[in-house]
Amino acid sequence: MKKIIIQYGGTGDLALKKLYPAYEQLMGKGFEFDVLALGRRYNDRESFVSSIIDKQASADFLKHLDYLPYDMDDPEATKHLKSKLNEMVAGKESVELIYYLALQPSLYEEAIHQIQEVDSSMVCSCNLTKKIVVEKPFGFDLDSAIRYNKILETAFLDKEIFRIDHYLGKEFMQNLLIMRFHNDIIRSIWDKDSIESIQIIFDETHGVDQRLGFYEKIGVVRDTIQNHILQIITYLTMNEPASLSSEDIAVEKVKVLKAISPIEEFSMGRYESLGANSGHVVDIPTYAALKLYVNTYFFANIPIYVRTGKMQGEAKSLIYVKFKNTTKDVMHDPSIADNAVIINIHPELTIDISVNLKQPNTSWKSKPVRFRFNQAETYGANTPEAYEQILQKILQSDKSLFPTMREITESWRIVTPMLEHDGHSEVYPVRTLPRFATQLAEKNHFTWYN
């Protein structure tokens, strides 16, 4: 079968930094497909390749990479795309077209209409199948997500629609399920009887001024909370699925999301220099802190604290699961440290289990000690990038790493109060934690993990 990925947004950052390297890696592993990049920036393939593609790119990758100047506002654009695709599939017995929309959500509607136009005019006597890939965020809110999905379903079956959250392609996400459900010792303590609280921290050092036009339509809620954060929470708190199939996992994830009330305890702000370089001051949240609960039998009353955003002093991506410290109270010894599971996501994947052991040369004094799993040390540094895993699943028609539409609609419902918020937004100095994140910790009597 001849497979062709039609890459919308073919000259954008996502394609340049993530997709083309992943395509090259997959081709190097024996996957056979062509990539047709669409973009407005260059007038021909030679200019595109010389300006965009890594100079060290393999000859095999370049042989399977083509480019078509494409402006969605041009009424002639679809005509040129139809002609190009018909040329590429000529004489083939079996063809699969994979439309990859690496575009702003606001462009999805027009792109899907154009795809329908192209699709309806394909001249091919072959067995023709198709797929469509859409990036996060899917929509801007609950209403737009539902509207976009209805448009998608006029041209594609649900099994042909791949909605991306690239965090599901990361090893740490898949390890969460294996850690929880392949280890009886963890399974037996992973509930409200043992866990006191959970923290999720996603601090990034970079800002968004380089992609301000995109980010001002997105903001921190759409950028990380509605997708990455809520997906992590489903993996942390879902019940054990009947199997680790995509269908059974999705059933349990939806149960978690339906058990989360719309977020009410939250604060948001933006860093003070946002837009300063361009002179275009944008009042869009770049940082948020919040608290929520998963109201299921096994996880009710466990507070989950989240903070995430840009322009922090240190890059930090981690999950901190703190266990109840009954021993400290029974032994009347406040120095007995808490047990915890600490999952570091960046810059390398580690999982630490913190337990107390005796300090040498003391009279029964304990000290917290960590038992660590390090992904790179155990399995080597060459584990696949998230996008490589995701693209491989698309080529294989495996939907195990993709959120379902039910998950997406529930996620939009949960963050709706944050999207509708028009109250005070703190302006925080760059490289500092916003005051509201500290205030959330003080109000709820906890300390952010450091």
Side-chain angles (χ1 to χ4, degrees):
M1 174 186 284
K2 183 177 181 63
K3 299 188 178 192
I4 304 171
I5 298 176
I6 300 98
Q7 184 65 63
Y8 284 76
T11 58
D13 274 356
L14 177 63
L16 173 63
K17 295 176 181 177
K18 298 293 184 181
L19 299 181
Y20 296 141
Y23 293 147
E24 184 175 2
Q25 287 292 320
L26 289 169
M27 288 180 189
K29 292 179 177 179
F31 287 88
E32 296 182 359
F33 59 96
D34 292 334
V35 177
L36 176 60
L38 308 181
R40 295 183 301 178
R41 195 179 303 176
Y42 304 101
N43 294 323
D44 53 56
R45 181 185 181 278
E46 183 180 357
S47 301
F48 163 73
V49 170
S50 62
S51 302
I52 288 283
I53 304 303
D54 192 311
K55 299 298 185 289
Q56 305 302 315
S58 69
D60 186 56
F61 172 58
L62 293 175
K63 183 175 73 173
H64 292 281
L65 175 66
D66 206 345
Y67 175 77
L68 180 70
Y70 193 88
D71 184 346
M72 289 177 60
D73 294 331
D74 181 357
E76 296 290 306
T78 54
K79 176 182 174 182
H80 299 309
L81 180 55
K82 294 175 199 174
S83 176
K84 184 68 174 179
L85 289 176
N86 281 317
E87 175 188 319
M88 294 176 76
V89 304
K92 304 299 179 183
E93 294 183 1
S94 184
V95 174
E96 181 170 84
L97 301 179
I98 304 172
Y99 298 97
Y100 194 128
L101 304 189
L103 301 169
Q104 293 185 25
S106 60
L107 299 175
Y108 282 0
E109 197 162 352
E110 179 57 30
I112 293 164
H113 286 315
Q114 293 187 13
I115 287 169
Q116 286 178 294
E117 183 181 340
V118 170
D119 198 51
S120 64
S121 63
M122 286 296 296
V123 180
C124 180
S125 57
C126 56
N127 177 27
L128 182 64
T129 58
K130 58 185 179 178
K131 296 170 183 169
I132 188 165
V133 184
V134 289
E135 276 287 340
K136 66 90 182 169
F138 186 70
F140 288 97
D141 53 21
L142 179 57
D143 290 342
S144 62
I146 292 171
R147 186 174 75 253
Y148 291 164
N149 196 60
K150 286 180 178 176
I151 295 168
L152 275 176
E153 290 182 338
T154 63
F156 296 86
L157 302 174
D158 186 69
K159 68 178 182 179
E160 299 169 335
I161 303 170
F162 291 77
R163 306 169 184 89
I164 283 187
D165 181 340
H166 70 267
Y167 258 68
L168 295 181
K170 289 183 177 287
E171 284 292 330
F172 93 91
M173 288 291 283
Q174 296 160 58
N175 255 319
L176 283 180
L177 296 191
I178 296 299
M179 181 184 73
R180 288 189 56 202
F181 300 134
H182 282 202
N183 297 285
D184 286 351
I185 191 172
I186 297 292
R187 182 191 285 109
S188 64
I189 61 171
W190 206 266
D191 59 27
K192 68 180 188 302
D193 295 329
S194 300
I195 296 174
E196 179 179 304
S197 64
I198 298 172
Q199 294 180 28
I200 301 172
I201 300 175
F202 276 17
D203 284 349
E204 299 175 284
T205 56
H206 61 268
V208 295
D209 285 71
Q210 298 303 315
R211 54 188 186 112
L212 190 58
F214 170 77
Y215 195 86
E216 69 176 311
K217 299 181 178 68
I218 302 298
V220 67
V221 179
R222 297 179 177 93
D223 190 34
T224 59
I225 297 172
Q226 181 268 338
N227 34 74
H228 302 336
I229 299 294
L230 287 176
Q231 285 293 323
I232 289 171
I233 289 170
T234 64
Y235 274 47
L236 287 170
T237 62
M238 64 189 275
N239 290 341
E240 186 165 4
S243 74
L244 291 180
S245 70
S246 58
E247 295 82 4
D248 289 337
I249 290 174
V251 166
E252 299 304 330
K253 287 164 70 179
V254 170
K255 288 179 184 177
V256 170
L257 294 168
K258 290 177 75 67
I260 301 175
S261 299
I263 298 168
E264 298 293 343
E265 189 169 345
F266 66 87
S267 297
M268 295 185 289
R270 64 172 176 85
Y271 61 86
E272 61 182 355
S273 62
L274 180 65
N277 292 339
S278 63
H280 175 47
V281 178
V282 177
D283 191 20
I284 189 75
T286 57
Y287 205 97
L290 60 98
K291 173 185 176 183
L292 61 78
Y293 292 96
V294 175
N295 298 308
T296 59
Y297 179 79
F298 289 106
F299 291 92
N301 301 320
I302 299 176
I304 300 177
Y305 304 107
V306 177
R307 74 178 213 218
T308 177
K310 312 293 185 183
M311 277 295 192
Q312 292 302 291
E314 178 186 1
K316 187 182 297 184
S317 300
L318 63 87
I319 301 164
Y320 176 65
V321 181
K322 178 183 176 183
F323 291 89
K324 294 177 179 178
N325 195 338
T326 306
T327 306
K328 180 172 62 177
D329 298 329
V330 172
M331 302 294 289
H332 305 290
D333 184 354
S335 70
I336 296 175
D338 300 319
N339 296 140
V341 172
I342 305 107
I343 303 165
N344 277 291
I345 304 162
H346 179 82
E348 59 182 354
L349 171 59
T350 60
I351 301 176
D352 291 352
I353 298 178
S354 180
V355 300
N356 295 309
L357 294 176
K358 181 182 176 296
Q359 291 189 55
N361 301 317
T362 66
S363 179
W364 301 110
K365 280 292 183 182
S366 64
K367 180 180 180 180
V369 176
R370 292 189 182 185
F371 296 90
R372 166 166 287 194
F373 159 75
N374 183 299
Q375 174 84 24
E377 290 179 4
T378 304
Y379 295 116
N382 295 320
T383 53
E385 287 287 327
Y387 268 101
E388 186 180 331
Q389 293 205 51
I390 284 171
L391 291 165
Q392 179 174 326
K393 296 295 187 186
I394 293 169
L395 292 168
Q396 295 170 331
S397 300
D398 179 346
K399 298 192 73 172
S400 59
L401 299 184
F402 301 88
T404 63
M405 190 59 197
R406 289 188 68 192
E407 294 170 54
I408 290 170
T409 53
E410 290 296 335
S411 298
W412 282 121
R413 175 190 61 80
I414 292 165
V415 301
T416 293
M418 300 184 75
L419 298 175
E420 295 178 344
H421 178 69
D422 58 1
H424 174 69
S425 184
E426 180 182 321
V427 178
Y428 61 93
V430 297
R431 313 302 175 204
T432 65
L433 189 66
R435 289 190 303 273
F436 59 74
T438 303
Q439 290 164 355
L440 178 70
E442 292 172 350
K443 177 182 175 182
N444 289 279
H445 309 291
F446 76 94
T447 302
W448 288 111
Y449 176 76
N450 186 5

